[in-house]
Amino acid sequence: MYNELMSADTLTTFVGLVAGTSLIVQFTKSFIKKQFGDGFVRFYTFIIALILIFIFGDNGFGIRGIILKIINAIIITMSAMGGYEALSDPKATKMKVNR
């Protein structure tokens, strides 16, 4: 049983990185949307995932490690945002319909 909700050990796993990225983005998304718009939220999510993976990932800092961190950050971003939404509306052009 877990004694902690989130720990450094948790953030070294895929699920932990997705959860951490999602939490940070969800709590700061309204500020980002107001300043930069909806489309920027996807890039912002990638930046958060990249920062977390550089801090908690263990792929090294050589060229291979950096490329792996970028690829892993993309996967984490897709998972945190919801793969369907990112693939079905890649340019974030979906309009909300008020009824």
Side-chain angles (χ1 to χ4, degrees):
M1 182 137 257
Y2 287 112
N3 292 328
E4 301 175 14
L5 292 176
M6 186 68 73
S7 68
D9 288 337
T10 304
L11 286 171
T12 62
T13 67
F14 175 74
V15 173
L17 286 167
V18 170
T21 301
S22 295
L23 287 171
I24 293 169
V25 169
Q26 290 303 316
F27 279 97
T28 57
K29 182 167 56 173
S30 61
F31 172 74
I32 297 299
K33 276 186 169 186
K34 285 179 189 175
Q35 296 295 320
F36 303 104
D38 284 337
F40 191 77
V41 173
R42 292 176 181 195
F43 180 69
Y44 174 67
T45 306
F46 171 73
I47 295 300
I48 296 298
L50 194 60
I51 290 169
L52 289 177
I53 212 155
F54 264 96
I55 294 170
F56 296 102
D58 192 22
N59 298 86
F61 287 98
I63 189 73
R64 284 182 167 181
I66 291 171
I67 290 172
L68 277 173
K69 286 176 195 255
I70 292 169
I71 291 169
N72 287 335
I74 292 169
I75 294 169
I76 291 165
T77 300
M78 296 292 289
S79 299
M81 288 185 342
Y84 172 77
E85 185 176 329
L87 293 174
S88 67
D89 188 21
K91 294 184 180 178
T93 58
K94 192 183 313 179
M95 300 297 287
K96 292 182 181 179
V97 177
N98 294 330
R99 293 179 188 211

